[in-house]
């Protein structure tokens, strides 16, 4: 039995036009001899009747007093509706299909409601269903714990579900269908000459996703990579093959491409904290206080006399209040953006940072902070310089 996983996002299943395009991709796979495990998101986005954010608005969103277990019950409704509607649509068009929740499909999770993690997989029910059906339609974003409670996998969970289903069914490939043509060298809204990447490695696309490229969730990439299952990012409304994501060894031309793409994260605030007295608990006190307040920190530089880090703009005021209450001397700069240069081939290659700094300085773009890892180099810039920075770096590396 050959199995392929196809995941369709909310904009792909929100109306009959989108579902018709999805049907064509499913029929093509069935004609090629595949059984299709189709993972669907809730229909549409905030404002659409059954979108996840619309459902959460019914209970006051983040201000709700409802338990996380009950939040999961509510949030799962969008995918349940989507799966049944899509299953009916397939059957009306001659494709034998049935809908299953994540739990019914065999996805067992822990009790981490709203952010559950997979604890076990049982493929028996899906294997049996494929003896009768062409397609199983599985709700994205959800599973069930040992008690049968519905659990959700966190935002971006439908991509994660697709990767999990790929492992569950030992699929040959996972296709992530969305409203873009594939993974691009930069955000086309900022870089007009951004191009589609035909092939990228798991590490490259995971780093791009972590650094703000929203085309696929990094957790999904990590799960697929661990099982060695190729991923493809494709457009629902096109027959183009999009971007193939696989291991580095499978990409022949990877060494010819020094940099893969430019990613960015907006709406950051930079915080610089001065040490009144240098002591070993200086950093731990600050970061423990941020953790206790559930404030995520990023882009961290630590020295004996100063700590520099960023927080999301919505958490900046809260972070400032905490630092003031602890008596720290600090500066805060709002309206910042992080720009990342990502490439599997940059490890150990001299001159990458020099090229970045030279390109940015020629355009009088101030670098507020920098950091690097094996495959990624980051710079922090003022938000007003974001678009220019992305384009300058995109051109500097001939993307």
């Amino acid at each position: 039995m050959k199995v392929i996983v196809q995941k369709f996002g909310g904009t792909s299943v929100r109306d009959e036009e989108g579902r018709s395009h999805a049907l064509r991709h499913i029929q093509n796979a069935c004609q090629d001899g595949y059984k299709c495990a189709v993972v669907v998101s809730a229909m549409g986005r905030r404002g659409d009747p059954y979108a996840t954010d619309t459902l959460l608005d019914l209970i006051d969103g983040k201000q709700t007093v409802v338990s996380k277990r009950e939040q999961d019950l509510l949030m799962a409704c969008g995918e349940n509706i989507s799966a049944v509607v899509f299953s009916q649509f397939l059957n009306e068009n001659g494709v034998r299909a049935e809908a299953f929740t994540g739990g019914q499909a065999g996805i067992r999770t822990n009790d981490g409601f709203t952010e559950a993690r997979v604890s076990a997989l049982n493929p028996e029910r899906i294997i049996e269903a494929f003896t009768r059906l062409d397609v199983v339609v599985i709700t994205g974003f959800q599973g069930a714990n040992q008690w049968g409670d519905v659990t959700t996998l966190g935002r971006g969970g439908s991509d994660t579900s697709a990767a999990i289903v790929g492992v569950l069914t030992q699929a040959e490939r996972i296709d992530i269908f969305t409203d873009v043509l594939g993974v691009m060298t930069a955000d086309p809204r900022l870089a007009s000459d951004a191009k589609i990447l035909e092939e990228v490695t798991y590490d490259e696309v995971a780093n791009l996703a972590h650094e703000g490229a929203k085309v696929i969730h990094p957790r999904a990439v990590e799960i697929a990579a661990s099982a060695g299952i190729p991923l493809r990012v494709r457009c629902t409304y096109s027959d183009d093959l999009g971007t193939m994501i696989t291991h580095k060894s499978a990409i022949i031309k990877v060494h010819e491409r020094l940099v893969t793409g430019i990613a960015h994260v907006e709406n950051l605030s930079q915080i610089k904290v001065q040490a009144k007295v240098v002591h070993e608990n200086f950093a731990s006190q600050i970061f423990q206080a941020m953790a206790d307040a559930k404030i995520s920190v990023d882009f961290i530089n630590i020295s004996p006399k100063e700590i520099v880090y960023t927080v999301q703009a919505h958490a900046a005021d809260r972070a400032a209040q905490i630092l003031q209450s602890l008596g720290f001397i600090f500066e805060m700069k709002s309206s910042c953006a992080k720009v990342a240069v990502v490439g599997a081939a940059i490890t150990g290659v001299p001159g990458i940072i020099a090229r970045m700094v030279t390109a940015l300085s020629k355009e009088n773009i101030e670098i507020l902070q920098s950091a690097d890892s094996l495959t990624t180099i980051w710079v922090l810039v003022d938000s007003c310089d974001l678009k220019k920075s992305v384009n300058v770096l995109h051109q500097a590396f001939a993307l």
Side-chain angles (χ1 to χ4, degrees):
M1 184 187 299
K2 297 195 305 179
V3 178
I4 190 172
V5 176
Q6 296 184 328
K7 178 261 178 177
F8 295 97
T11 56
S12 299
V13 295
R14 81 194 314 173
D15 54 30
E16 188 160 341
E17 179 187 1
R19 290 191 286 272
S20 295
H21 286 283
L23 169 67
R24 188 182 75 254
H25 292 297
I26 292 167
Q27 288 173 327
N28 289 340
C30 290
Q31 288 169 6
D32 288 339
Y34 287 99
K35 297 290 187 177
C36 290
V38 174
V39 176
V40 293
S41 298
M43 295 187 290
R45 293 176 177 166
R46 171 174 264 130
D48 292 313
Y50 309 116
T52 302
D53 285 324
T54 304
L55 295 172
L56 283 172
D57 288 341
L58 296 173
I59 55 170
D60 298 327
K62 293 181 179 180
Q63 308 304 316
T64 185
V65 296
V66 166
S67 71
K68 288 188 175 182
R69 185 188 70 81
E70 292 169 294
Q71 289 177 46
D72 275 357
L73 275 175
L74 177 64
M75 287 193 290
C77 292
E79 278 72 20
N80 292 346
I81 293 168
S82 182
V84 173
V85 169
F86 197 67
S87 175
Q88 173 179 288
F89 181 78
L90 292 176
N91 279 286
E92 286 176 340
N93 285 277
V95 178
R96 296 173 300 165
E98 284 183 12
F100 295 84
T101 67
Q104 290 168 342
I107 301 173
R108 176 69 62 82
T109 74
N110 62 12
D111 294 332
F113 296 107
T114 73
E115 290 286 348
R117 292 294 182 266
V118 174
S119 59
L121 297 174
N122 183 348
E124 291 181 6
R125 190 164 186 184
I126 298 304
I127 291 172
E128 185 280 326
F130 275 144
T131 65
R132 302 178 286 105
L133 305 169
D134 303 308
V135 176
V136 292
V137 182
I138 301 171
T139 56
F141 183 52
Q142 60 177 262
N145 68 8
Q146 61 178 326
W147 308 110
D149 292 323
V150 174
T151 57
T152 64
L153 307 177
R155 287 311 176 97
S158 289
D159 285 353
T160 304
S161 291
I164 293 168
V165 170
V167 176
L168 180 77
T169 60
Q170 299 182 23
E172 288 190 12
R173 190 180 69 248
I174 301 163
D175 283 353
I176 305 292
F177 285 94
T178 180
D179 52 4
V180 298
L181 290 172
V183 181
M184 303 192 75
T185 53
D187 187 335
R189 294 171 298 180
L190 298 182
S192 59
D193 56 349
K195 296 183 296 186
I196 297 169
L197 293 159
E198 292 183 6
E199 297 175 312
V200 293
T201 66
Y202 293 118
D203 285 343
E204 286 174 321
V205 79
N207 286 332
L208 286 168
H210 277 299
E211 301 309 324
K214 302 188 188 316
V215 69
I216 188 171
H217 197 280
R219 189 172 161 207
V221 179
E222 290 157 6
I223 292 169
S226 68
I229 302 174
L231 286 158
R232 229 171 27 181
V233 176
R234 303 182 61 187
C235 180
T236 305
Y237 306 95
S238 169
D239 290 327
D240 291 349
L241 296 179
T243 303
M244 178 66 82
I245 306 166
T246 185
H247 284 299
K248 180 176 180 179
S249 60
I251 299 179
I252 298 172
K253 297 181 180 179
V254 70
H255 293 294
E256 299 177 12
R257 185 177 65 211
L258 191 61
V259 169
T260 303
I262 313 296
H264 70 277
V265 178
E266 299 181 69
N267 300 317
L268 301 175
S269 293
Q270 182 194 54
I271 300 174
K272 295 182 178 180
V273 187
Q274 306 296 322
K276 291 184 294 184
V277 178
V278 178
H279 59 84
E280 60 184 12
N281 293 326
F282 172 46
S284 62
Q285 187 178 4
I286 291 171
F287 293 128
Q288 187 59 56
M290 297 295 112
D292 291 343
K294 301 189 184 311
I295 296 174
S296 177
V297 300
D298 190 22
F299 218 154
I300 303 162
N301 297 132
I302 300 176
S303 65
K305 294 184 179 181
E306 183 182 63
I307 291 175
V308 185
Y309 62 97
T310 61
V311 299
Q312 291 290 324
H314 65 78
D317 289 343
R318 177 64 178 143
Q321 293 170 1
I322 291 169
L323 293 172
Q324 287 172 347
S325 69
L326 295 173
F328 284 110
I329 299 170
F330 67 95
E331 299 175 7
M332 180 176 289
K333 179 175 176 54
S334 58
S335 300
C336 297
K338 180 170 67 169
V339 182
V341 170
V342 177
I346 68 176
T347 303
V349 178
I352 304 298
I353 294 178
R355 195 186 301 188
M356 291 176 64
V357 172
T358 299
L360 294 171
S361 63
K362 281 184 178 179
E363 297 296 326
N364 298 314
I365 298 170
E366 182 183 6
I367 298 174
L368 305 172
Q369 198 176 340
S370 65
D372 69 281
S373 70
L374 290 176
T375 60
T376 307
I377 301 173
W378 304 268
V379 292
L380 191 72
V381 299
D382 194 290
S383 289
C384 67
D385 290 325
L386 172 59
K387 183 173 182 178
K388 186 188 293 186
S389 299
V390 170
N391 280 277
V392 163
L393 294 174
H394 198 264
Q395 293 163 12
F397 291 100
L399 296 178

